[in-house]
Amino acid sequence: MEDDFLYIGIINLYYNFEIIIFISLLIVIANSLIKLIFNLNYSNFDLRLNLFSIILIVLFCVLGFCIFLVNFVLLFFEIAPSLASYTGKYSVYSFSENFLNILGFLFVAIGWSLHKTQLRSLKKFMRIFIFNVLGILIFNFDLKLVI
């Protein structure tokens, strides 16, 4: 009974972390859109904001991957077969959920590396805006709706 409480707590941590990432990406997207519209310069605040969101995304992907590996090992040794639920609230155990998280991180990281090579603020904000929008769409994409 105590183990179920731990697993449910970790799953709740994962989903709360997902909401925090969604909010941080929305803040980065709104910031870059405002600076694009008003043609403002790229500042240290923008750098820190983008870097903070990337750090949160990396931690989120590591947490999801750890949950997936623990579930895989427990399922392999058949210690807790009831944990292997790939639908509904516990879809974090599925490979597709973790693959989409890593793919979303890759889009945000590609936008980060592309914006570093630009010298003009307009191009920097455009790269950040486009790739963070793609990243947030992939993070919220659900493969079960397509299948």
Side-chain angles (χ1 to χ4, degrees):
M1 194 69 175
E2 297 168 4
D3 291 341
D4 292 339
F5 178 72
L6 177 66
Y7 293 124
I8 290 172
I10 292 173
I11 296 298
N12 287 338
L13 172 70
Y14 177 82
Y15 285 115
N16 290 336
F17 212 85
E18 188 174 21
I19 292 169
I20 291 170
I21 285 179
F22 183 75
I23 292 170
S24 72
L25 282 176
L26 282 178
I27 290 171
V28 169
I29 290 170
N31 180 44
S32 62
L33 187 63
I34 289 170
K35 300 238 176 163
L36 269 173
I37 291 172
F38 294 115
N39 200 13
L40 299 173
N41 288 332
Y42 191 78
S43 65
N44 285 335
F45 173 75
D46 304 316
L47 177 83
R48 291 180 184 134
L49 193 64
N50 292 330
L51 192 59
F52 181 71
S53 68
I54 288 177
I55 291 169
L56 286 178
I57 292 169
V58 167
L59 292 175
F60 176 69
C61 289
V62 167
L63 179 65
F65 190 67
C66 288
I67 291 171
F68 173 72
L69 284 180
V70 166
N71 184 54
F72 184 74
V73 168
L74 290 179
L75 185 62
F76 181 74
F77 292 114
E78 296 179 2
I79 295 171
S82 63
L83 291 176
S85 173
Y86 296 111
T87 59
K89 182 179 179 185
Y90 301 109
S91 65
V92 68
Y93 294 135
S94 69
F95 177 75
S96 62
E97 175 107 6
N98 288 299
F99 178 73
L100 288 175
N101 289 343
I102 291 173
L103 195 63
F105 165 70
L106 285 178
F107 271 105
V108 173
I110 288 170
W112 170 261
S113 64
L114 285 178
H115 105 278
K116 289 191 307 184
T117 60
Q118 301 300 322
L119 298 176
R120 292 181 39 209
S121 294
L122 180 68
K123 286 191 175 189
K124 284 185 181 229
F125 287 123
M126 186 64 76
R127 304 281 192 284
I128 292 170
F129 177 74
I130 290 172
F131 284 99
N132 281 337
V133 166
L134 288 174
I136 204 168
L137 289 177
I138 289 174
F139 276 123
N140 291 321
F141 185 72
D142 196 4
L143 281 179
K144 291 175 277 310
L145 296 176
V146 176
I147 300 174

